[in-house]
Amino acid sequence: MDDKQPQIALEGGGRSQIAFEDDRQSQIALTIAYRGAAFRGFARQPGQETIQGALEQALATLYHREVQTVGAGRTDRGVHAHGQVVSFGLCTEEIAEHSLGRLRSALNALTPDDIVIRFVDLKPPGFSARFSASEREYRYRIYTKSTPPLFLAPYVWWLPREHPLDIQAMKAAAELLVGEHDFTSFCVATSSRDKNTVREIRSLLVFGADHLGESCHVVQVIGNAFLHSMIRIIVGSLAEVGMRRHPPEWIGEVLEARDRTCAGQTAPAQGLTFWRVRY
Amino acid sequence: MDDKQPQIALEGGGRSQIAFEDDRQSQIALTIAYRGAAFRGFARQPGQETIQGALEQALATLYHREVQTVGAGRTDRGVHAHGQVVSFGLCTEEIAEHSLGRLRSALNALTPDDIVIRFVDLKPPGFSARFSASEREYRYRIYTKSTPPLFLAPYVWWLPREHPLDIQAMKAAAELLVGEHDFTSFCVATSSRDKNTVREIRSLLVFGADHLGESCHVVQVIGNAFLHSMIRIIVGSLAEVGMRRHPPEWIGEVLEARDRTCAGQTAPAQGLTFWRVRY
């Protein structure tokens, strides 16, 4: 989910270079939704069913060549998307080959049912789903009833509570994370992906929602970009506050510590949905 | 889904008699939700996985005897429930054996994940989930975007439309069905379950909803009781009006005709949810 440094990627090396080889090609941006449970994460992996792999296989079928894609966020295994964006370059002849509407239908037909291509847009050369993104939004759902969720079961973290979560305390804690901070405490300690651990959270809200007759709490996080597992560790930590194991101020102490072991658990992947990208 | 004539049932004969043998026993009412796709309908059938069958098997494990249950509505294969009610009689010793809270946990543990026991209530002798019900509510979801639904896929009828449904026309047509009518045209022609085909629809509304980021139309039907497939045929007929194949007044003609072949198709089971029962 780390997507911050276009410079490094533009300077080339490995996969990133491939994505930028076609700098003068027009770009296609797909807005896609998927159910995380059906895949081993977003990023392509040889021999594994991944979202990027399934898309690239469909594109190879359509264009009779290898098509490398770039995603706005590399969601982990089990994480869902409502509005992930994936881009790739096409040459003029390829763009003329299928209308955008037909491309959408073809991709929906050629990919598994657990991926839906919602929109297809033509973008100027140089556009990258990853590096052109200015803002990303994730939503995390927590279900706290003592009886298990049913219709929402695949899309929530079930945290059965005898007493309701202290939502006011969670909101107060959430406010301490808004702004530009070093989020080392909220990043997988072993991750080598994230050398620069400063990120900006623009909005972090906690509100209630009702879907298919079942009520849940939603943690909505908007920021420029996020470290590996950052949102899930934030949610796991806010849950500690909601369960009254720590006061809201504790979140500030965790942030200051710059130490992953100070934060709460990593909340389960299935509660998380990559909601939207802004360009 | 036909549940109208307590007299006949009280007078005995077959299954109904069994349900009323324990007239002096206290009754337990379970409010349950389930995903229709996982079962071959509500009603017990030897050798088939049904909702009633799964509940009765769990009750037999708990009480070491056969426990016969009565459901508020016999939902067809594929139909979901948010608030189905199921009742059964227990003797005083059996009621003392498990608290209601423990009974709920035990039933949730002993039934498949596709059934959730949401509430357990103690009711006076003579209570029947079926015959004591005064009002039933069903909701039907229609998804009309040209791209397939994802998170809502198992819970909607996907009716991809180039032009949006004419919701105003559907509302006008729906109003013609409100009241006490002979619903022969909206009942499975081969059904022998329904001798008296007069039912009262108290409210029939069409409105929009958004679940998990996906928008759909909801047809909400409230009535005393319903004939076999009645709601699905009503929805299939309202959809004809929504697609501008017939004007709203056509629904009145269909009603008058008392002939199933005049109405629209039976809308697919998976869009239907048994929402609530009032006593």
Side-chain angles (χ1 to χ4, degrees), chain A residues 221-270:
Chain A
V221 192
I222 300 175
N224 59 342
F226 298 97
L227 301 168
H228 190 203
S229 292
M230 179 169 153
I231 293 160
R232 290 163 59 194
I233 300 171
I234 288 176
V235 170
S237 304
L238 291 178
E240 294 281 312
V241 173
M243 294 185 284
R244 298 177 174 79
R245 291 183 188 159
H246 296 284
E249 308 80 67
W250 169 75
I251 289 285
E253 294 162 23
V254 172
L255 191 63
E256 280 301 303
R258 296 179 195 181
D259 177 356
R260 168 69 187 93
T261 62
C262 296
Q265 68 169 295
T266 304
Q270 64 172 35

Side-chain angles (χ1 to χ4, degrees), chain B residues 5-63:
Chain B
Q5 296 140 329
Q7 296 80 5
I8 291 168
L10 283 164
E11 282 158 13
R15 174 132 306 147
S16 306
Q17 190 177 30
I18 296 168
F20 281 81
E21 277 177 358
D22 44 16
D23 239 8
R24 285 144 308 169
Q25 289 191 332
S26 287
Q27 297 288 310
I28 299 290
L30 310 176
T31 302
I32 66 170
Y34 47 84
R35 268 197 287 257
F39 305 95
R40 293 185 70 94
F42 177 81
R44 78 174 80 73
Q45 289 182 63
Q48 303 282 12
E49 179 83 343
T50 68
I51 294 118
Q52 192 176 33
L55 284 172
E56 292 185 350
Q57 201 179 331
L59 289 167
T61 303
L62 278 174
Y63 294 107

Side-chain angles (χ1 to χ4, degrees), chain B residues 2-275:
Chain B
D2 180 12
D3 313 286
K4 244 208 130 186
Q5 296 140 329
Q7 296 80 5
I8 291 168
L10 283 164
E11 282 158 13
R15 174 132 306 147
S16 306
Q17 190 177 30
I18 296 168
F20 281 81
E21 277 177 358
D22 44 16
D23 239 8
R24 285 144 308 169
Q25 289 191 332
S26 287
Q27 297 288 310
I28 299 290
L30 310 176
T31 302
I32 66 170
Y34 47 84
R35 268 197 287 257
F39 305 95
R40 293 185 70 94
F42 177 81
R44 78 174 80 73
Q45 289 182 63
Q48 303 282 12
E49 179 83 343
T50 68
I51 294 118
Q52 192 176 33
L55 284 172
E56 292 185 350
Q57 201 179 331
L59 289 167
T61 303
L62 278 174
Y63 294 107
H64 313 289
R65 66 167 177 95
E66 197 182 340
V67 178
Q68 299 258 8
T69 62
V70 177
R74 293 180 59 183
T75 55
D76 284 333
R77 185 175 177 181
V79 174
H80 316 282
H82 169 67
Q84 164 79 285
V85 179
V86 175
S87 64
F88 53 93
L90 290 182
C91 67
T92 314
E93 298 75 40
E94 287 170 329
I95 287 176
E97 205 174 325
H98 306 284
S99 73
L100 298 184
R102 278 175 59 100
L103 176 56
R104 184 173 74 172
S105 311
L107 286 174
N108 274 315
L110 289 168
T111 50
D113 287 348
D114 292 301
I115 303 179
V116 170
I117 290 83
R118 296 172 55 216
F119 306 108
V120 177
D121 293 298
L122 186 63
K123 298 283 186 181
F127 175 87
S128 159
R130 180 174 174 190
F131 300 117
S132 306
S134 60
E135 198 165 89
R136 293 167 171 84
E137 176 180 340
Y138 284 80
R139 295 194 183 186
Y140 195 99
R141 297 190 193 97
I142 304 175
Y143 189 87
T144 57
K145 290 220 168 56
S146 56
T147 50
L150 178 74
F151 304 116
L152 293 190
Y155 310 116
V156 297
W157 177 19
W158 182 34
L159 198 63
R161 306 302 304 160
E162 218 173 299
H163 305 288
L165 290 179
D166 186 340
I167 301 298
Q168 288 314 316
M170 288 173 74
K171 287 180 176 178
E175 277 178 25
L176 301 174
L177 295 175
V178 175
E180 195 170 79
H181 302 288
D182 180 339
F183 284 98
T184 300
S185 294
F186 299 93
C187 169
V188 174
T190 55
S191 180
S192 59
R193 257 162 48 182
D194 307 308
K195 279 169 196 156
N196 176 355
T197 48
V198 174
R199 293 291 181 280
E200 186 197 353
I201 292 185
R202 294 179 186 156
S203 169
L204 180 37
L205 300 176
V206 185
F207 54 85
D210 186 291
H211 298 290
L212 302 169
E214 297 181 319
S215 300
C216 61
H217 303 291
V218 179
V219 181
Q220 178 202 44
V221 192
I222 300 175
N224 59 343
F226 298 96
L227 301 168
H228 190 201
S229 292
M230 179 170 154
I231 293 160
R232 290 164 57 194
I233 300 169
I234 287 176
V235 170
S237 304
L238 291 178
E240 294 283 311
V241 174
M243 294 185 283
R244 297 176 175 82
R245 291 184 189 157
H246 296 284
E249 309 78 68
W250 169 75
I251 289 284
E253 294 161 24
V254 173
L255 191 64
E256 279 300 304
R258 295 179 196 183
D259 177 355
R260 168 68 187 92
T261 63
C262 295
Q265 68 167 296
T266 304
Q270 66 172 34
L272 184 58
T273 304
F274 186 11
W275 199 257

Side-chain angles (χ1 to χ4, degrees), chain A residues 116-130:
Chain A
V116 171
I117 289 81
R118 297 172 56 216
F119 306 107
V120 177
D121 292 299
L122 186 63
K123 299 283 185 182
F127 176 86
S128 159
R130 181 174 172 191

